[in-house]
Amino acid sequence: MDGATRRAGALCGTRRLRHPVSAARRLLEEGRVLALAAGVEDRLGAAGEERMDPAWFITAERAAQLETARAAGRTLLDHAGEAARAAGDDAGTVGAVARDAAGALAAATSTGGMTNKPAGRVGDSPVIGAGTWADSRSVAVSATGVGEAFLRTAFAHEVDARVRLAGQSLAEAVSAALEQVRGVGGEGGCVALDAAGAVLAFNSQGMYRAWVDPAAGRWGLAIFGETELEGGPMSELVA
Ligand code: ASP
């Protein structure tokens, strides 16, 4: 989502697109907001989006995670809980928020969804206002967690509303919105950025996160509650 214009593009059910965020951006540029991938994958492919055989996306870790979740008869977050630990894997959804030199905010989210989800289920990530949101007047938000709870609480827009209309700080707004997620039985977190450039990452457990701060001239990364696990000058980053 582009917070300067509030144009947005999203896809659900992608099976072959290698770069779903870039494909979603094409939809944004066409003026479409949400599409079923089955209806647009071929057209986006013909327009230049790289397509892979669905088998290309399968990894041994994810296959093991799915088997564990199936055996337990449960639908699980791919980056939390027993299935993730059993598979030795606790990284999943990718979220990005950014602010450009002109102050425009943007957000993007890419996910495989929850492990062992029922066929046809759509989570929060492609739903604008639930898992993804950007409005340059207030915040950019990309969420991860139990999608149903983020949908039911209109999570990302709730953060926006609290900052823009209720005057809360980004930290207060994210914390209160996550409280609502927990209130309907969900768990998860987000990366969020406000118009002043403050970045936040919240999660119930660890959350792999990285950032670049052009004003400070530094990059950093963190996993759990620490503010920075590793970091360095931006000159270390290669294009
Ligand atoms: N929010 C995603 C979904 O519900 C899952 C995730 O963030 O891991 O599909």
Side-chain angles (χ1 to χ4, degrees):
M1 183 167 189
D2 168 14
T5 58
R6 275 182 290 153
R7 290 187 305 165
L11 284 153
C12 49
T14 59
R15 290 179 53 78
R16 290 183 295 144
L17 291 166
R18 183 171 183 177
H19 302 295
V21 169
S22 132
R25 187 192 175 120
R26 279 186 199 266
L27 291 177
L28 174 156
E29 281 160 2
E30 288 173 4
R32 304 278 160 238
V33 174
L34 179 59
L36 291 174
V40 293
E41 259 180 349
D42 286 343
R43 184 170 64 72
L44 293 174
E49 290 301 323
E50 193 174 356
R51 280 170 296 174
M52 311 301 286
D53 187 290
W56 183 82
F57 296 96
I58 297 172
T59 64
E61 290 77 16
R62 289 289 183 225
Q65 204 176 14
L66 178 59
E67 278 317 304
T68 308
R70 278 185 179 153
R74 295 174 63 194
T75 301
L76 297 166
L77 286 174
D78 58 5
H79 48 84
E82 295 149 35
R85 279 194 288 277
D89 186 355
D90 53 3
T93 298
V94 177
V97 288
R99 180 174 180 266
D100 72 13
L105 299 177
T109 312
S110 175
T111 185
M114 293 183 72
T115 304
N116 199 30
K117 57 193 177 287
R121 178 250 187 201
V122 176
D124 59 316
S125 308
V127 176
I128 300 305
T132 307
W133 181 261
D135 183 336
S136 298
R137 297 171 298 174
S138 55
V139 295
V141 180
S142 172
T144 179
V146 177
E148 284 72 9
F150 285 76
L151 283 161
R152 289 168 62 196
T153 56
F155 175 82
H157 188 266
E158 175 73 13
V159 174
D160 168 278
R162 287 175 174 276
V163 169
R164 185 165 48 87
L165 303 174
Q168 291 188 340
S169 70
L170 186 61
E172 286 167 343
V174 167
S175 161
L178 280 176
E179 201 44 57
Q180 295 195 28
V181 165
R182 279 190 284 272
V184 296
E187 63 168 299
C190 69
V191 285
L193 180 63
D194 70 13
V199 191
L200 271 180
F202 269 77
N203 208 334
S204 44
Q205 297 187 344
M207 184 160 181
Y208 290 76
R209 51 198 194 271
W211 57 89
V212 289
D213 182 347
R218 284 182 61 78
W219 65 272
L221 67 85
I223 301 176
F224 297 106
E226 72 282 295
T227 50
E228 185 174 305
L229 183 63
E230 270 185 56
M234 274 174 62
S235 55
E236 289 175 5
L237 299 174
V238 284

